[in-house]
Amino acid sequence: MGVISQSVKDMNGFKLHVVKTGKFKTNTIVWRMKAPLQKETATKRALLPYVLQSSSRKFPDTTVLRSYLDELYGASLYVDVAKKGEYQVLSFTLDIANEKFLGDPEPLLRKGMELLAEILVNPLAESGSFDRSTVEKEKRTLEQRIHSVYDDKMRYAGFRLIQEMCKDEPYALHVNGDLEDVALIDESSLYEYYKQAFSNDEMDLYVIGDVTEAEVEEAAASMLSFNSRIPEKKEMNSPAPEAEKVVTEEQDIKQGKLNIGCRTNILYGEKDYAALQVFNGIFGGFSHSKLFLNVREKESLAYYAASRLESHKGLMMVMAGIETANYKRAVTIIKEQLDEMRNGQFTSEEIQQTILVIENQMLETMDTARGLVDILYHNVIAESQSSVDEWLSGMKAVTREDIIAVANKVKIDTIYFLTGTKGAV
Amino acid sequence: MEKLTFDQLQEELYHERMANGLEVYILPKKGFNKTYATFTTKYGSIDNAFKPLGKEEYVQVPDGIAHFLEHKLFEKADGDVFQQFSRQGASANAFTSFTRTAYLFSSTSNVERNLETLIDFVQDPYFTEKTVEKEKGIIGQEINMYDDNPDWRLYFGLIENMYQCHPVKIDIAGTVESIAHITKDMLYECYKTFYHPSNMLLFVVGPVNPDEIMEQVRQNQAKKDYKEMPEIQRKFETEIMEASEKKKVLEMNVQTPKCLVGIKAADTGIQGREMLKQELAINVILDVLFGKSSANYMELYNEGLIDDSFSYDYTQEKGFGFAMAGGDTRNPDRLAERLTEMLLEAKGGSVFNETNLSRTRKKKIGTFLRAVNSPEYIANQFTRYAFNGMDLFDVVPVLEGMTVEDIQKAASGLIAKERITVCQVLPKNNDSLL
């Protein structure tokens, strides 16, 4: 149970990863490309996948393209821009029915790969420019996407915490870029960046499903070929917090959003990472954790009270939605839980329980094609080679001392509180 | 135990009705790590007026009580059931909808033990005044969280517009005021009325042996003493046909306006295959009208009236139903106007033709296949379908048999000017940056 076997091949300018599995009714094709997160390029990168997925030379507008997807038994095509550590990663995902489960025997996988390749390498462009109206429309949508962060207060609080905490680091950049930079992009500057990204980015293609390796490899080689490259690497460094920063912001909302950012100083792939995961699980990762039991169940202060790791940046984020008037009490209780972790005030049962639940979560993630790609992609970001089995056995070997040591490395950096207008802090 | 086989999908489903009336379904999924199980009662937020078990008079219970009960069932004399699940390597959860309350776990080990825990905790209530009071603070924060969420407010605002008296218009969690009235005795009364096995369905999906799981459930249920239960008496006031209000504007602390246009469904008394056909036909209608491959979508997008938050959806249960479309927009009035016009133009129009039907049917069939990758989808949707007398595995055959006349008929049944309504969220104090 559980083992993923992927085969990895170096292709022209990218790596091909094939995971053969019979458990899905569809086959999934994911194209990922990563480059360092930088102010100069972040907004262009955030725009690019949306321009590419809206049309191509062969499918010159969205209606034609989307009709074709419908005809391919509702193949789904979507793009995504994500921050993984200090990289900005673009994903293009195409998920297509396996014809084995349809009344219609027409083979679909190759058509899906062809379509994804068409989107990537054959855009609607001429003489060094994308189609102007497409770019203008997608700029407008990107502006709205950037604005929408403000409207979802939980997301907004998380984003503001990062902005304050990582002020002088590229990580503070929003994954969708900056509003002011959107206006500066035009169809030719974006095209120029497109060329640059496809020549410099680290690129990976994942094909997951009931597929034949040789067939996928042949198809990928015939459709996608790029120059070879040495992708730019980022040193991940996390400045040590000097004193705890506290930032409060007032808005007309009902519930205060308390977000606390900690530096863990431990990255994915490093020796202490397994212990960090167990630490996070006991502290705030699950419904048996200290945060859930104390902030929520014992004190009834919150509906959500949890922590999660930013594995590739060495951060741990704590979040809780509370009454504005309960701010001090909530911060005190959260700090007490962290102290208990540092002092080893947790039971062996909590350790065992947490390891079991993390293992369960990992195995469950592998039951979706998307989850599989995310797990495998951690190694690309961290430049590591660890298999899921190695990772799991490493975690099972974590001791109480390891957890205490990790807990003592974790330092609170910034406390951010988005308060309601009623009731003083 | 009966076995049902779906050749095209290559799936098998096992079913048995226990002596006490509990319906049990098992769908083995080879190659998966995870087993996912849901234990669901046909009891949701709309069931707020009923005859309690053994009583003659109808009672009206506080808004949000079904959801409150869901929270409280996790707490026992010896602690929290979440703890027990995680000691057994499982993650547990629950949710309350308009018509159902579901308890669930997923795990990759100790499946039998987790299943035993799931069934036993749901069938063994423990409510005290003290724990009920404590929960009011937690759920109060859950309600506040949703109150700050503009998409949630928009959605419920639209439903409120449609219905004059049907309890679907009430927020599932209730309000801070309504839950203040909840007592342990009320929770027991609701529990006894709605949590009898004959009102419930257990679904297990994962790499399991169906014979063993079924035997385990049989033995578990045989140990418990359930008396035969009369049919549950629920009460709903007669609802008007037209939308109760035509338009509502909510002012909130947002930068981007939001707009949803909805239609209150007309024929919601139906169940079974008839309901399945109507539901799928309306889903096809919405895809044809507003899908990304539609002319309407392109027009709205080109005009800058919608962005990628645009979505549409159809919900139907016994006694209520609604279609809706919309999202973030720079011009909420213009979007409301265009969506309304597009709906009215479509009624009896030529857009429902063979080309559009055939393309959308293919899309729907492929989308269903993708959904069947998900154990969560199978268990939750199967249960919802079963509670409405429908069969999830009829989806593809019904789509295949659907004709242009079927969708034209469904469109003329659905679309009517007097049942259309609009809800908008606008920035407070005109502080929009757009």
Side-chain angles (χ1 to χ4, degrees):
Chain A
M1 169 166 97
V3 211
I4 322 176
S5 59
Q6 66 157 340
S7 79
V8 188
K9 273 253 155 66
D10 275 313
M11 310 288 283
N12 289 329
F14 67 98
K15 278 199 178 76
L16 171 67
H17 309 246
V18 179
V19 180
K20 242 180 101 64
T21 164
K23 65 184 179 186
F24 303 123
K25 311 276 181 209
T26 56
N27 293 316
T28 307
I29 312 158
V30 182
W31 178 259
R32 284 210 166 155
M33 44 201 293
K34 83 182 223 308
L37 186 63
Q38 285 166 338
K39 166 80 176 141
E40 298 72 41
T41 53
T43 313
K44 283 180 193 156
R45 283 185 82 76
L47 180 60
L48 182 62
Y50 292 93
V51 168
L52 293 179
Q53 73 147 359
S54 67
S55 58
S56 77
R57 197 176 293 272
K58 200 170 154 196
F59 303 100
D61 67 47
T62 304
T63 309
V64 184
L65 176 67
R66 292 281 157 182
S67 298
Y68 182 61
L69 285 162
D70 291 353
E71 290 294 341
L72 294 179
Y73 283 91
S76 76
L77 168 68
Y78 55 90
V79 298
D80 177 54
V81 185
K83 207 156 65 162
K84 310 252 176 189
E86 283 182 1
Y87 292 107
Q88 195 180 12
V89 178
L90 315 183
S91 298
F92 299 77
T93 303
L94 194 137
D95 186 74
I96 192 163
N98 182 340
E99 61 278 1
K100 188 164 110 176
F101 303 103
L102 295 170
D104 179 352
E106 183 190 358
L108 293 172
L109 177 66
R110 195 181 174 93
K111 292 200 165 167
M113 289 180 72
E114 267 164 10
L115 180 58
L116 191 64
E118 163 83 13
I119 297 284
L120 296 172
V121 301
N122 202 18
L124 189 61
E126 56 187 347
S127 41
S129 272
F130 284 120
D131 174 60
R132 185 183 159 79
S133 77
T134 305
V135 173
E136 288 309 311
K137 267 183 283 178
E138 293 307 322
K139 277 169 65 179
R140 197 165 60 197
T141 304
L142 178 60
E143 283 171 357
Q144 263 177 243
R145 209 174 289 130
I146 293 170
H147 274 299
S148 71
V149 177
Y150 179 86
D151 299 345
D152 179 337
K153 301 305 171 189
M154 285 164 71
R155 258 171 73 205
Y156 176 76
F159 165 63
R160 286 282 298 120
L161 168 65
I162 295 280
Q163 228 181 18
E164 293 289 342
M165 176 169 167
C166 302
K167 231 172 210 152
D168 302 314
E169 301 162 68
Y171 196 73
L173 291 167
H174 192 273
V175 70
N176 285 321
D178 276 333
L179 208 50
E180 307 85 69
D181 291 338
V182 179
L184 305 176
I185 303 172
D186 67 23
E187 59 280 10
S188 59
S189 67
L190 187 66
Y191 190 80
E192 198 181 313
Y193 182 71
Y194 160 70
K195 286 287 173 198
Q196 193 188 318
F198 275 82
S199 354
N200 300 331
D201 276 20
E202 180 165 5
M203 308 195 292
D204 293 89
L205 176 65
Y206 294 84
V207 180
I208 289 160
D210 190 6
V211 299
T212 318
E213 235 172 85
E215 213 174 287
V216 168
E217 191 187 326
E218 183 278 316
S222 71
M223 295 169 196
L224 296 162
S225 179
F226 307 93
N227 59 292
S228 61
R229 72 222 35 221
I230 300 165
E232 197 182 331
K233 303 289 181 190
K234 277 291 279 214
E235 270 312 307
M236 296 291 171
N237 46 27
S238 218
E242 291 152 20
E244 225 171 77
K245 264 188 287 185
V246 178
V247 179
T248 347
E249 190 175 332
E250 197 179 284
Q251 276 192 12
D252 182 6
I253 50 172
K254 277 203 170 173
Q255 183 184 57
K257 322 286 175 198
L258 173 61
N259 290 54
I260 302 178
C262 307
R263 304 273 179 182
T264 67
N265 302 300
I266 298 161
L267 295 175
Y268 183 95
E270 291 182 351
K271 187 174 64 59
D272 286 343
Y273 183 73
L276 178 66
Q277 281 241 310
V278 180
F279 157 79
N280 177 59
I282 300 173
F283 175 65
F286 301 103
S287 55
H288 68 266
S289 69
K290 287 184 177 290
L291 291 183
F292 189 90
L293 291 182
N294 291 287
V295 181
R296 174 176 151 140
E297 293 298 314
K298 209 162 133 198
E299 302 277 342
S300 299
L301 291 182
Y303 170 66
Y304 69 92
S307 65
R308 64 179 178 79
L309 298 174
E310 297 270 359
S311 308
H312 298 287
K313 175 65 187 165
L315 306 180
M316 181 178 75
M317 322 310 276
V318 177
M319 60 225 98
I322 56 170
E323 283 301 327
T324 294
N326 289 333
Y327 168 79
K328 280 190 182 135
R329 216 161 116 223
V331 171
T332 307
I333 296 168
I334 291 168
K335 285 184 173 173
E336 279 168 10
Q337 306 316 307
L338 193 53
D339 282 335
E340 286 190 9
M341 294 300 299
R342 289 171 178 151
N343 299 331
Q345 290 166 267
F346 47 88
T347 63
S348 308
E349 196 192 14
E350 280 173 283
I351 303 176
Q352 281 324 304
Q353 191 176 9
T354 303
I355 290 174
L356 206 56
V357 174
I358 297 174
E359 179 183 23
N360 182 56
Q361 200 178 44
M362 187 76 167
L363 293 172
E364 285 194 10
T365 306
M366 288 160 40
D367 280 346
T368 67
R370 201 181 174 158
L372 270 173
V373 173
D374 281 337
I375 290 173
L376 296 172
Y377 199 69
H378 278 305
N379 280 334
V380 174
I381 302 281
E383 297 170 65
S384 56
Q385 305 287 338
S386 52
S387 72
V388 172
D389 285 348
E390 284 161 6
W391 188 88
L392 286 175
S393 54
M395 192 187 54
K396 286 177 191 167
V398 167
T399 65
R400 157 179 300 278
E401 290 65 39
D402 297 338
I403 299 167
I404 297 172
V406 159
N408 281 288
K409 284 191 177 180
V410 173
K411 298 275 182 295
I412 293 182
D413 183 302
T414 302
I415 300 176
Y416 172 85
F417 190 44
L418 182 62
T419 96
T421 35
K422 284 182 284 187
V425 171
Chain B
M1 183 166 76
E2 61 169 331
K3 175 179 162 181
L4 305 149
T5 312
F6 307 100
D7 291 333
Q8 192 68 59
L9 276 178
Q10 301 182 21
E11 299 286 4
E12 289 172 349
L13 180 67
Y14 296 82
H15 168 236
E16 188 170 314
R17 193 183 152 90
M18 298 288 136
N20 62 23
L22 175 66
E23 299 282 359
V24 184
Y25 289 88
I26 301 165
L27 189 128
K29 270 268 183 200
K30 284 195 200 93
F32 275 67
N33 296 322
K34 143 165 97 182
T35 296
Y36 180 80
T38 56
F39 193 18
T40 311
T41 164
K42 191 175 174 180
Y43 167 54
S45 65
I46 65 165
D47 300 305
N48 64 356
F50 58 90
K51 275 188 195 164
L53 180 64
K55 297 200 178 149
E56 288 306 311
E57 300 295 315
Y58 280 100
V59 297
Q60 175 87 30
V61 289
D63 294 343
I65 197 167
H67 171 260
F68 202 102
L69 202 168
E70 171 228 298
H71 269 240
K72 276 331 311 154
L73 217 41
F74 280 92
E75 193 161 328
K76 304 296 171 202
D78 57 352
D80 188 329
V81 186
F82 281 121
Q83 286 283 346
Q84 195 181 335
F85 275 115
S86 64
R87 278 196 296 270
Q88 294 163 188
S91 64
N93 215 333
F95 64 84
T96 306
S97 73
F98 296 126
T99 52
R100 289 175 287 143
T101 311
Y103 300 84
L104 58 99
F105 78 84
S106 64
S107 79
T108 55
S109 58
N110 303 318
V111 170
E112 288 74 20
R113 227 178 330 147
N114 286 316
L115 183 61
E116 204 73 6
T117 304
L118 176 70
I119 300 170
D120 288 347
F121 103 79
V122 173
Q123 294 190 327
D124 180 25
Y126 170 79
F127 310 130
T128 68
E129 286 304 346
K130 194 169 160 237
T131 60
V132 166
E133 285 315 306
K134 190 204 74 177
E135 204 65 24
K136 290 178 182 174
I138 298 172
I139 296 179
Q141 285 308 317
E142 186 178 3
I143 292 169
N144 284 345
M145 179 180 84
Y146 283 112
D147 272 347
D148 281 340
N149 183 320
D151 290 307
W152 183 258
R153 296 275 303 275
L154 181 72
Y155 176 74
F156 267 95
L158 188 76
I159 299 171
E160 253 177 64
N161 280 1
M162 293 186 208
Y163 287 90
Q164 191 179 54
C165 55
H166 195 283
V168 68
K169 66 187 284 186
I170 301 161
D171 198 311
I172 290 168
T175 63
V176 172
E177 293 74 40
S178 73
I179 63 169
H181 302 294
I182 293 174
T183 63
K184 84 171 189 342
D185 294 335
M186 287 180 196
L187 292 180
Y188 276 117
E189 193 159 70
C190 292
Y191 182 87
K192 283 180 188 142
T193 309
F194 293 106
Y195 280 71
H196 189 275
S198 60
N199 194 43
M200 299 188 71
L201 190 152
L202 178 69
F203 201 105
V204 181
V205 47
V208 294
N209 177 329
D211 292 311
E212 286 170 22
I213 295 283
M214 201 61 92
E215 181 52 27
Q216 183 191 344
V217 178
R218 260 181 230 125
Q219 287 184 12
N220 178 295
Q221 292 302 285
K223 280 186 282 189
K224 294 169 187 170
D225 182 28
Y226 281 101
K227 305 269 175 297
E228 201 165 322
M229 165 95 171
E231 204 185 329
I232 299 169
Q233 303 292 317
R234 300 166 162 94
K235 190 168 78 175
F236 296 100
E237 306 289 334
T238 314
E239 176 65 39
I240 54 171
M241 288 294 284
E242 66 272 22
S244 168
E245 287 168 70
K246 295 304 282 177
K247 187 176 175 183
K248 185 190 321 271
V249 175
L250 305 166
E251 292 201 339
M252 288 186 74
N253 181 22
V254 296
Q255 289 186 346
T256 311
K258 294 173 186 286
C259 173
L260 273 182
V261 172
I263 308 185
K264 184 176 182 177
D267 303 314
T268 57
I270 51 174
Q271 294 275 275
R273 201 160 169 110
E274 201 189 345
M275 176 177 170
L276 180 61
K277 282 172 85 167
Q278 172 167 309
E279 182 174 292
L280 288 173
I282 293 177
N283 276 301
V284 167
I285 287 167
L286 293 178
D287 267 336
V288 168
L289 288 182
F290 300 121
K292 282 187 172 170
S293 57
S294 68
N296 287 337
Y297 182 89
M298 173 116 114
E299 183 202 311
L300 297 170
Y301 200 88
N302 286 352
E303 216 189 305
L305 288 175
I306 58 172
D307 63 14
D308 44 14
S309 68
F310 179 79
S311 69
Y312 51 88
D313 183 43
Y314 181 63
T315 300
Q316 184 174 333
E317 296 287 341
K318 191 177 181 186
F320 66 91
F322 37 80
M324 52 177 76
D328 292 358
T329 178
R330 295 174 177 225
N331 193 337
D333 286 333
R334 176 78 184 139
L335 180 59
E337 186 186 315
R338 284 304 293 133
L339 286 172
T340 306
E341 284 166 6
M342 285 167 174
L343 285 164
L344 294 173
E345 274 162 26
K347 187 172 181 164
S350 56
V351 65
F352 304 121
N353 54 43
E354 192 53 50
T355 317
N356 284 340
L357 171 61
S358 133
R359 194 188 65 238
T360 308
R361 181 193 288 129
K362 278 184 156 183
K363 174 183 168 180
K364 285 267 171 240
I365 291 173
T367 306
F368 180 74
L369 265 192
R370 178 169 309 113
V372 175
N373 283 336
S374 157
E376 292 87 344
Y377 176 88
I378 295 173
N380 292 323
Q381 287 305 308
F382 188 92
T383 303
R384 181 189 158 256
Y385 275 59
F387 283 171
N388 283 298
M390 311 189 285
D391 182 348
L392 180 66
F393 294 98
D394 274 346
V395 165
V396 172
V398 168
L399 282 169
E400 280 169 345
M402 194 177 287
T403 64
V404 170
E405 292 68 49
D406 290 335
I407 52 172
Q408 281 171 345
K409 201 177 128 230
S412 65
L414 174 74
I415 302 167
K417 199 169 177 195
E418 67 276 12
R419 291 200 303 274
I420 294 181
T421 178
V422 175
C423 187
Q424 297 170 335
V425 168
L426 301 184
K428 225 174 203 173
N429 317 319
N430 295 327
D431 59 357
S432 167
L433 297 187
L434 291 173

